[in-house]
């Protein structure tokens, strides 16, 4: 049977593109997100290679439910793409305790407990791979993005820690850290998308925002059998954003 991949946040943006890419390479897909309709729409585009699970991955019982339902449907799990995330922006004093806890529940605890719950199945796979989706903001402190950025830095740390710990089980763990990509996520924190996009594009040496397929391609590379000797990496797919702006380089 084909390898089975769970993709969280698969109803839109990078997650939807990654799911389509993995399905095109023959994997069976389990699409996870809160809203059923977008998941069903993506599922319908996969040529019968998908199932959907509508839930909030930040809820304590959600990771175990995803694993149980996946095993009930497909009987195996080979790949996990931890892609779902939330972002709120603002100065330090603007964040409520609830917002702090939601960021960590969705962006860190969700991936953490999903991988933990999947371990018995991943250990049985001949070709297990975890791909975490971080952000360039996980490495580049950006005013206003501290809470979101800190969750992405945590996910990058977990990538390396899991890669080390799970190498004995031949489970590979890598991370893609995208720069700014045109997806619905920006509308969740910005009231002026045109100004936000202009500001984001200005920070990218290659001169444009990313496309979801720029990221989905790397998700597939890291899942592909050809990456079987690659683990513990954070791949920056960001048009060179982590290099910094030329005027910030000094010298
Ligand atoms: N776009 C960028 O510029 C950019 C840059 C760097 C990193 N990233 C990262 O890329 C990943 C995908 O983001 P995107 O840009 O593709 O945005 P997006 O289109 O908004 O995708 C996020 C997906 O996550 C789902 N989601 C959100 N909260 C969830 C929750 N609590 N439980 C389950 N699913 C949830 C959303 O669906 P529901 O609302 O239906 O749940 C949505 O489909 C995120 O990890 C993001 O941090 C994006």
């Amino acid at each position: 049977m084909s390898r089975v991949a769970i993709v969280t946040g698969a109803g839109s943006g990078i997650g939807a593109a990654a799911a389509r890419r993995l399905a095109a390479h023959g994997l069976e897909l389990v699409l996870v997100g809160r809203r059923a309709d977008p998941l069903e729409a993506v599922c319908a585009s996969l040529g019968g290679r998908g199932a959907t699970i509508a839930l909030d991955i930040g809820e304590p019982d959600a990771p175990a439910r995803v694993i149980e339902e996946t095993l009930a449907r497909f009987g195996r799990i080979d790949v996990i793409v931890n892609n779902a995330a939330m972002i709120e922006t603002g100065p330090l004093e603007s964040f409520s305790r609830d917002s702090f806890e939601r960021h960590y529940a969705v962006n860190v605890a969700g991936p953490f407990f999903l991988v933990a719950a999947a371990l018995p199945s991943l250990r049985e796979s001949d070709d297990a791979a975890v791909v975490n989706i971080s952000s360039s903001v996980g490495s580049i402190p950006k005013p206003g993005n501290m809470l979101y950025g800190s969750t992405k830095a945590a996910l990058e740390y977990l990538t390396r820690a899991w890669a080390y710990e799970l190498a004995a089980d031949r489970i590979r763990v890598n991370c893609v850290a995208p720069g700014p990509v045109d997806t619905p996520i920006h509308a969740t924190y910005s009231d002026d998308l045109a100004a936000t996009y202009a500001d984001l594009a200005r920070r990218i040496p290659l001169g444009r925002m990313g496309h979801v397929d720029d990221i989905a391609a790397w998700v597939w590379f890291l899942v592909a059998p050809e990456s079987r000797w690659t683990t513990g990496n954070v791949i920056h797919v960001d048009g060179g954003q982590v290099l910094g702006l030329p005027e910030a380089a000094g010298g």
Side-chain angles (χ1 to χ4, degrees), residues 141-160:
K142 190 177 170 210
N145 281 26
M146 67 191 72
L147 184 47
Y148 170 79
S150 72
T151 65
K152 295 304 191 178
L155 197 56
E156 293 183 9
Y157 176 86
L158 289 174
T159 299
R160 291 186 284 267

mmCIF file of all heavy atoms in Angstrom, residues 141-160:
data_model
loop_
_atom_site.group_PDB
_atom_site.id
_atom_site.type_symbol
_atom_site.label_atom_id
_atom_site.label_comp_id
_atom_site.label_asym_id
_atom_site.label_seq_id
_atom_site.Cartn_x
_atom_site.Cartn_y
_atom_site.Cartn_z
ATOM 1 N N PRO A 141 14.196 38.015 14.298
ATOM 2 C CA PRO A 141 13.259 38.750 15.158
ATOM 3 C C PRO A 141 12.654 39.914 14.386
ATOM 4 O O PRO A 141 13.364 40.666 13.732
ATOM 5 C CB PRO A 141 14.154 39.261 16.292
ATOM 6 C CG PRO A 141 15.367 38.401 16.250
ATOM 7 C CD PRO A 141 15.552 38.008 14.825
ATOM 8 N N LYS A 142 11.323 39.979 14.410
ATOM 9 C CA LYS A 142 10.641 41.046 13.690
ATOM 10 C C LYS A 142 9.668 41.702 14.670
ATOM 11 O O LYS A 142 8.849 41.001 15.289
ATOM 12 C CB LYS A 142 9.901 40.457 12.494
ATOM 13 C CG LYS A 142 9.367 41.493 11.548
ATOM 14 C CD LYS A 142 8.704 40.841 10.343
ATOM 15 C CE LYS A 142 7.967 41.915 9.546
ATOM 16 N NZ LYS A 142 6.808 41.377 8.848
ATOM 17 N N PRO A 143 9.759 43.023 14.836
ATOM 18 C CA PRO A 143 8.853 43.677 15.780
ATOM 19 C C PRO A 143 7.405 43.286 15.503
ATOM 20 O O PRO A 143 6.978 43.242 14.366
ATOM 21 C CB PRO A 143 9.075 45.168 15.493
ATOM 22 C CG PRO A 143 10.436 45.241 14.919
ATOM 23 C CD PRO A 143 10.636 43.964 14.141
ATOM 24 N N GLY A 144 6.684 42.975 16.545
ATOM 25 C CA GLY A 144 5.274 42.614 16.392
ATOM 26 C C GLY A 144 5.030 41.138 16.235
ATOM 27 O O GLY A 144 3.929 40.655 16.486
ATOM 28 N N ASN A 145 6.057 40.389 15.808
ATOM 29 C CA ASN A 145 5.857 38.958 15.519
ATOM 30 C C ASN A 145 6.456 38.055 16.593
ATOM 31 O O ASN A 145 6.690 36.881 16.359
ATOM 32 C CB ASN A 145 6.498 38.595 14.170
ATOM 33 C CG ASN A 145 5.649 39.003 13.003
ATOM 34 O OD1 ASN A 145 4.868 39.938 13.118
ATOM 35 N ND2 ASN A 145 5.783 38.327 11.885
ATOM 36 N N MET A 146 6.709 38.604 17.789
ATOM 37 C CA MET A 146 7.513 37.861 18.770
ATOM 38 C C MET A 146 6.844 36.576 19.238
ATOM 39 O O MET A 146 7.517 35.573 19.448
ATOM 40 C CB MET A 146 7.824 38.754 19.968
ATOM 41 C CG MET A 146 6.601 39.102 20.776
ATOM 42 S SD MET A 146 6.928 40.377 21.983
ATOM 43 C CE MET A 146 7.085 41.816 20.933
ATOM 44 N N LEU A 147 5.529 36.605 19.409
ATOM 45 C CA LEU A 147 4.865 35.422 19.955
ATOM 46 C C LEU A 147 4.853 34.308 18.917
ATOM 47 O O LEU A 147 5.296 33.183 19.184
ATOM 48 C CB LEU A 147 3.446 35.800 20.402
ATOM 49 C CG LEU A 147 2.627 34.723 21.091
ATOM 50 C CD1 LEU A 147 3.412 34.008 22.180
ATOM 51 C CD2 LEU A 147 1.349 35.335 21.667
ATOM 52 N N TYR A 148 4.381 34.635 17.719
ATOM 53 C CA TYR A 148 4.398 33.676 16.604
ATOM 54 C C TYR A 148 5.825 33.194 16.347
ATOM 55 O O TYR A 148 6.084 31.989 16.230
ATOM 56 C CB TYR A 148 3.828 34.380 15.376
ATOM 57 C CG TYR A 148 3.959 33.673 14.060
ATOM 58 C CD1 TYR A 148 3.109 32.637 13.704
ATOM 59 C CD2 TYR A 148 4.924 34.077 13.124
ATOM 60 C CE1 TYR A 148 3.218 32.013 12.466
ATOM 61 C CE2 TYR A 148 5.038 33.471 11.885
ATOM 62 C CZ TYR A 148 4.180 32.433 11.566
ATOM 63 O OH TYR A 148 4.284 31.825 10.338
ATOM 64 N N GLY A 149 6.771 34.134 16.272
ATOM 65 C CA GLY A 149 8.165 33.770 15.978
ATOM 66 C C GLY A 149 8.735 32.830 17.022
ATOM 67 O O GLY A 149 9.494 31.910 16.691
ATOM 68 N N SER A 150 8.367 33.050 18.278
ATOM 69 C CA SER A 150 8.910 32.175 19.333
ATOM 70 C C SER A 150 8.369 30.759 19.187
ATOM 71 O O SER A 150 9.079 29.786 19.471
ATOM 72 C CB SER A 150 8.606 32.746 20.714
ATOM 73 O OG SER A 150 7.233 32.609 21.044
ATOM 74 N N THR A 151 7.123 30.611 18.727
ATOM 75 C CA THR A 151 6.605 29.245 18.528
ATOM 76 C C THR A 151 7.341 28.569 17.370
ATOM 77 O O THR A 151 7.568 27.359 17.384
ATOM 78 C CB THR A 151 5.088 29.221 18.235
ATOM 79 O OG1 THR A 151 4.803 29.869 16.983
ATOM 80 C CG2 THR A 151 4.295 29.869 19.353
ATOM 81 N N LYS A 152 7.712 29.350 16.344
ATOM 82 C CA LYS A 152 8.424 28.766 15.198
ATOM 83 C C LYS A 152 9.860 28.407 15.583
ATOM 84 O O LYS A 152 10.400 27.395 15.118
ATOM 85 C CB LYS A 152 8.382 29.732 14.018
ATOM 86 C CG LYS A 152 6.971 29.961 13.463
ATOM 87 C CD LYS A 152 6.283 28.664 13.053
ATOM 88 C CE LYS A 152 5.012 28.892 12.275
ATOM 89 N NZ LYS A 152 4.391 27.629 11.857
ATOM 90 N N ALA A 153 10.486 29.226 16.440
ATOM 91 C CA ALA A 153 11.822 28.869 16.937
ATOM 92 C C ALA A 153 11.740 27.574 17.734
ATOM 93 O O ALA A 153 12.622 26.709 17.640
ATOM 94 C CB ALA A 153 12.379 30.003 17.794
ATOM 95 N N ALA A 154 10.668 27.422 18.515
ATOM 96 C CA ALA A 154 10.487 26.175 19.280
ATOM 97 C C ALA A 154 10.345 24.993 18.330
ATOM 98 O O ALA A 154 10.918 23.913 18.564
ATOM 99 C CB ALA A 154 9.254 26.288 20.177
ATOM 100 N N LEU A 155 9.600 25.172 17.250
ATOM 101 C CA LEU A 155 9.396 24.071 16.291
ATOM 102 C C LEU A 155 10.719 23.702 15.608
ATOM 103 O O LEU A 155 10.977 22.523 15.338
ATOM 104 C CB LEU A 155 8.347 24.493 15.261
ATOM 105 C CG LEU A 155 7.696 23.399 14.428
ATOM 106 C CD1 LEU A 155 7.043 22.317 15.286
ATOM 107 C CD2 LEU A 155 6.654 24.006 13.473
ATOM 108 N N GLU A 156 11.563 24.685 15.357
ATOM 109 C CA GLU A 156 12.872 24.383 14.757
ATOM 110 C C GLU A 156 13.746 23.610 15.754
ATOM 111 O O GLU A 156 14.460 22.673 15.384
ATOM 112 C CB GLU A 156 13.550 25.678 14.283
ATOM 113 C CG GLU A 156 12.792 26.306 13.121
ATOM 114 C CD GLU A 156 13.451 27.545 12.553
ATOM 115 O OE1 GLU A 156 14.598 27.864 12.914
ATOM 116 O OE2 GLU A 156 12.792 28.217 11.727
ATOM 117 N N TYR A 157 13.687 23.996 17.029
ATOM 118 C CA TYR A 157 14.433 23.242 18.043
ATOM 119 C C TYR A 157 13.927 21.797 18.096
ATOM 120 O O TYR A 157 14.722 20.842 18.119
ATOM 121 C CB TYR A 157 14.300 23.900 19.425
ATOM 122 C CG TYR A 157 14.989 23.075 20.478
ATOM 123 C CD1 TYR A 157 16.346 23.223 20.727
ATOM 124 C CD2 TYR A 157 14.290 22.074 21.149
ATOM 125 C CE1 TYR A 157 16.998 22.415 21.645
ATOM 126 C CE2 TYR A 157 14.933 21.261 22.059
ATOM 127 C CZ TYR A 157 16.285 21.427 22.320
ATOM 128 O OH TYR A 157 16.920 20.608 23.209
ATOM 129 N N LEU A 158 12.593 21.648 18.103
ATOM 130 C CA LEU A 158 12.029 20.292 18.165
ATOM 131 C C LEU A 158 12.445 19.477 16.944
ATOM 132 O O LEU A 158 12.662 18.264 17.045
ATOM 133 C CB LEU A 158 10.498 20.370 18.266
ATOM 134 C CG LEU A 158 9.956 20.888 19.606
ATOM 135 C CD1 LEU A 158 8.438 21.059 19.534
ATOM 136 C CD2 LEU A 158 10.336 19.957 20.756
ATOM 137 N N THR A 159 12.557 20.123 15.793
ATOM 138 C CA THR A 159 13.003 19.419 14.585
ATOM 139 C C THR A 159 14.352 18.750 14.833
ATOM 140 O O THR A 159 14.543 17.563 14.538
ATOM 141 C CB THR A 159 13.133 20.416 13.413
ATOM 142 O OG1 THR A 159 11.856 20.992 13.153
ATOM 143 C CG2 THR A 159 13.660 19.734 12.162
ATOM 144 N N ARG A 160 15.278 19.513 15.400
ATOM 145 C CA ARG A 160 16.620 18.964 15.630
ATOM 146 C C ARG A 160 16.589 17.909 16.750
ATOM 147 O O ARG A 160 17.245 16.868 16.655
ATOM 148 C CB ARG A 160 17.592 20.097 15.959
ATOM 149 C CG ARG A 160 17.857 21.006 14.754
ATOM 150 C CD ARG A 160 18.921 22.039 15.049
ATOM 151 N NE ARG A 160 18.411 23.114 15.875
ATOM 152 C CZ ARG A 160 17.896 24.255 15.402
ATOM 153 N NH1 ARG A 160 17.846 24.463 14.104
ATOM 154 N NH2 ARG A 160 17.455 25.179 16.219
#
